[in-house]
């Protein structure tokens, strides 16, 4: 400066430098940091305090503190979001694990045993091709059809129909109520893996009937599933390898005899 010795020249105030400070550990294990300003550096940057109004000093310090708060807040928010995502992932993983465990348990239970029946005759197997009613009248026919439904992952339709037939044979009120409850849980509930396909009207009828279960609680639903198997699955069964192989085997035995 002109007229002022170099040794007496006022040193230029040093601007504040941000330092990195840790604010905890994130969900991924890394440290959370944010830029923080040293108040001493801020005062040096402002310059000699005796030449500034106290109100101006306070305003500048307040601005610096506000700047620090704005820089720290996003770090805290990001940490909260990561923790929230981590919690959601944990819950989702637990749900997937439960689903896998439930599926494994169902597979471990195995497929219910088929009805006991003698080997069908050639005449009986030929009769199955005449009508769906004749197929469903014999245990051998139901077993063969059920084996086919299993390959199409729709065996629950036959199981439901058979459970309804068993319910109709009961006369004890407590047994009827218990069997009706099991049928509902196994084949009507939307939470069941063996739920059958029913329209809303039939479901409403079932829900009303379940208030006082009887042998005929599921009659409408049984008829709808019977019709579904007749129109949808029965034609494919008649053209399936299961039916054709059985028919050919019985025909060969008949010729040999």
């Amino acid at each position: 400066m002109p007229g002022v010795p170099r040794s007496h020249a006022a040193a230029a105030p040093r601007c504040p430098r941000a330092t990195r400070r840790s604010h905890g550990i994130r969900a991924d294990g890394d440290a959370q940091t944010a830029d923080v300003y040293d108040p001493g550096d801020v005062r040096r940057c402002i310059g000699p305090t005796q030449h500034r109004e106290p109100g101006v000093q306070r305003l500048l310090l307040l601005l610096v503190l506000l700047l620090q708060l704005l820089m720290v807040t996003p770090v805290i928010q990001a940490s909260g979001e990561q923790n929230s995502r981590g919690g959601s992932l944990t819950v989702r993983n637990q749900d997937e694990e439960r689903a896998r465990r439930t599926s494994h348990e169902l597979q471990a239970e195995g497929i219910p045993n088929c009805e006991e029946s003698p080997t069908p005759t050639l005449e009986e197997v030929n009769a199955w091709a005449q009508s769906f009613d004749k197929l469903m009248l014999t245990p051998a026919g139901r077993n063969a059809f059920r084996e086919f439904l299993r390959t199409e992952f729709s065996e629950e339709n036959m199981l439901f129909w058979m459970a309804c037939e068993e319910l109709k044979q009961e006369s004890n009120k407590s047994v009827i109520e218990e069997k009706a409850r099991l049928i509902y849980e196994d084949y009507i509930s939307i939470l069941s893996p063996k739920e059958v396909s029913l329209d809303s009207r039939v479901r409403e009828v079932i829900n009303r009937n379940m208030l006082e279960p009887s042998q005929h609680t599921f009659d409408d639903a049984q008829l709808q599933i019977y019709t579904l198997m007749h129109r949808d699955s029965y034609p494919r069964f008649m053209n399936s390898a299961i039916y054709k192989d059985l028919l050919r085997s019985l025909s060969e035995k008949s010729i040999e005899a």
Side-chain angles (χ1 to χ4, degrees), residues 24 54 220:
D220 288 354

Side-chain angles (χ1 to χ4, degrees), residues 46-217:
I46 293 173
T49 59
Q50 65 270 21
H51 298 298
R52 296 186 182 273
E53 294 294 333
V56 175
Q57 297 176 24
R58 287 196 295 269
L59 178 60
L60 291 174
L61 288 173
L62 185 61
L63 290 175
V64 172
L65 293 175
L66 180 61
L67 179 60
Q68 291 181 355
L69 180 62
L70 292 175
M71 297 181 68
V72 171
T73 300
V75 175
I76 298 175
Q77 291 177 345
S79 174
E81 291 175 358
Q82 288 178 350
N83 291 335
S84 176
R85 286 195 298 269
S88 299
L89 288 173
T90 300
V91 172
R92 187 171 61 187
N93 291 338
Q94 290 175 350
D95 291 341
E96 291 175 353
E97 179 62 26
R98 273 197 300 270
R100 286 193 295 268
R101 186 166 57 250
T102 301
S103 176
H104 177 73
E105 290 172 356
L106 288 173
Q107 292 175 0
E109 290 177 359
I111 299 171
N113 294 328
C114 294
E115 298 177 82
E116 293 184 2
S117 66
T119 302
T121 64
L122 179 60
E123 290 75 15
E124 288 177 334
V125 174
N126 281 323
W128 297 348
Q130 296 174 11
S131 72
F132 183 61
D133 293 338
K134 291 184 177 180
L135 169 69
M136 294 290 286
L137 279 175
T138 64
R142 291 193 293 270
N143 285 339
F145 187 54
R146 181 176 163 186
E147 182 183 354
F148 168 74
L149 292 177
R150 192 178 304 153
T151 65
E152 293 199 332
F153 304 99
S154 58
E155 185 185 11
E156 64 275 3
N157 290 333
M158 176 64 79
L159 296 176
F160 171 68
W161 185 88
M162 293 171 61
C164 292
E165 288 294 298
E166 291 180 6
L167 180 64
K168 291 177 181 178
Q169 308 303 317
E170 295 294 341
S171 57
N172 185 287
K173 184 177 180 180
S174 61
V175 175
I176 290 173
E177 291 178 351
E178 178 64 15
K179 285 194 173 184
R181 182 185 64 81
L182 292 175
I183 291 174
Y184 189 94
E185 292 179 354
D186 287 343
Y187 305 108
I188 309 300
S189 172
I190 60 175
L191 301 177
S192 173
K194 297 185 291 184
E195 176 195 7
V196 296
S197 178
L198 299 171
D199 60 38
S200 59
R201 181 193 65 82
V202 171
R203 286 185 176 275
E204 290 176 1
V205 171
I206 292 174
N207 290 333
R208 287 197 301 268
N209 292 342
M210 285 298 292
L211 298 176
E212 294 184 7
S214 70
Q215 300 100 317
H216 306 288
T217 295

